[in-house]
Amino acid sequence: MEHEYSKREVCSPQIPQKELKFDDYFSTDIIHLKAIFPKSEKYRLIEEFGIDCYYVTDDGNLLFEWDFASYSNMQSWVFSFGDKVIVLEPLKLCKNRKQQAENIAKKETEYDI
């Protein structure tokens, strides 16, 4: 005997109750980035975050502040600038960049580069 499925049974996915609460299921932590970029990075900041995303400092550098929803995305984005960024906040990111620089220097020393 073949079972007849109702439209409700076929079209209604079974989502666990805990996942129905959006704020509980997705992280809502915001990570604030505060960083200084040289003028040479102006085009990229504007292209990615808009014309009003930075302030020009007295020495002509660009002070950038932005809230990110993901630490790993923020980290990857900041690291993509190499030595063209000075991270002021968050402190964890400052420490991560310093550790990465030390690891790179150590590896290059090991290979006598």
Side-chain angles (χ1 to χ4, degrees), residues 13-41:
Q14 298 300 316
I15 300 172
Q17 191 65 29
K18 70 177 185 171
E19 293 181 15
L20 292 176
K21 296 180 181 177
F22 183 80
D23 289 341
D24 293 341
Y25 187 67
F26 293 99
S27 173
T28 56
D29 295 334
I30 293 174
I31 302 98
H32 184 75
L33 173 66
K34 186 175 184 180
I36 296 175
F37 293 88
K39 290 183 282 189
S40 64
E41 301 309 305

Side-chain angles (χ1 to χ4, degrees), residues 31-90:
I31 302 98
H32 184 75
L33 173 66
K34 186 175 184 180
I36 296 175
F37 293 88
K39 290 183 282 189
S40 64
E41 301 309 305
K42 179 180 178 178
Y43 75 94
R44 186 165 166 201
L45 295 176
I46 291 172
E47 185 174 304
E48 295 180 24
F49 293 96
I51 192 86
D52 296 323
C53 71
Y54 63 85
Y55 299 96
V56 178
T57 63
D58 291 340
D59 60 2
N61 287 314
L62 311 175
L63 176 61
F64 174 83
E65 293 193 59
W66 203 264
D67 292 331
F68 287 79
S70 164
Y71 181 85
S72 62
N73 288 345
M74 176 189 62
Q75 181 183 30
S76 295
W77 183 76
V78 169
F79 281 26
S80 73
F81 284 92
D83 66 349
K84 300 267 190 229
V85 59
I86 299 169
V87 176
L88 304 174
E89 296 174 12

